[in-house]
Amino acid sequence: MDQNLLQMNQVRSEDELAVVNISSTEIGALSKETAERILQMKDTDYIHQLMYVPIEKKEDLNWLIQSVGEALDDNDDAALELADLLYFFVIPFYKEYIVMDHHLYECIDGLLVRLASRAHPDILTLVDVMRDDLTGMNMKKSL
């Protein structure tokens, strides 16, 4: 992801996130409606575009995590793309918020459990790495 898309907000409310992947005013930002269509179609050529959905508040992050969960089904190709989205986008950008917010953590953990139930080796590898990332962050938080 282009570093120019990152924004740091010095003054923000409790609900706003410090790391914003892309602002809703940026050219190329994806609307939630478009994201929902991509998730409904489960077209593996487009799932990666979900990283261009503006995540400006915790409710946006919660929406994305919930939507990914609703999109998971028996299609291993789509599940792999959704796991990639979590691995390359959601976890690296927002793991601090996920670990700090019990609800978000439980939602991500539920997704990882569902993904881990698959026999696809690439999905299992991604799940293991994401769990390690979150566990490591959780341990740092405890110190």
Side-chain angles (χ1 to χ4, degrees):
M1 171 159 268
D2 185 9
Q3 292 291 47
N4 293 331
L5 297 178
L6 293 177
Q7 297 177 354
M8 296 302 289
N9 294 332
Q10 296 300 321
V11 179
R12 59 187 177 276
S13 73
E14 190 175 299
D15 189 44
E16 290 177 315
L17 303 178
V19 177
V20 176
N21 65 317
I22 185 171
S23 168
S24 56
T25 60
E26 292 277 339
I27 294 175
L30 206 65
S31 70
K32 285 184 178 179
E33 293 78 18
T34 302
E36 287 170 349
R37 281 195 299 275
I38 290 170
L39 288 167
Q40 288 171 355
M41 292 185 316
K42 296 178 187 75
D43 187 334
T44 57
D45 291 334
Y46 296 100
I47 291 174
H48 72 278
Q49 291 181 3
L50 296 175
M51 67 184 197
Y52 296 109
V53 173
I55 307 294
E56 297 170 315
K57 297 182 179 186
K58 287 182 185 178
E59 65 190 35
D60 298 331
L61 182 57
N62 184 53
W63 172 85
L64 180 62
I65 293 169
Q66 294 291 333
S67 297
V68 167
E70 291 169 11
L72 275 178
D73 62 11
D74 294 336
N75 181 339
D76 274 352
D77 291 335
L80 178 59
E81 290 298 319
L82 293 170
D84 277 346
L85 177 74
L86 294 174
Y87 175 75
F88 288 108
F89 173 62
V90 174
I91 301 296
F93 279 92
Y94 303 107
K95 68 181 161 189
E96 275 187 50
Y97 295 103
I98 292 167
V99 169
M100 291 172 31
D101 186 296
H102 183 72
H103 174 74
L104 291 176
Y105 188 84
E106 290 296 317
C107 290
I108 286 288
D109 189 55
L111 287 174
L112 295 180
V113 166
R114 289 174 59 198
L115 287 166
S117 70
R118 297 170 182 274
H120 196 289
D122 293 336
I123 293 173
L124 296 175
T125 299
L126 290 173
V127 168
D128 288 343
V129 173
M130 287 186 278
R131 282 188 172 150
D132 288 347
D133 275 357
L134 291 172
T135 301
M137 179 58 96
N138 205 5
M139 292 173 92
K140 286 180 187 177
K141 179 185 135 197
S142 300
L143 296 177

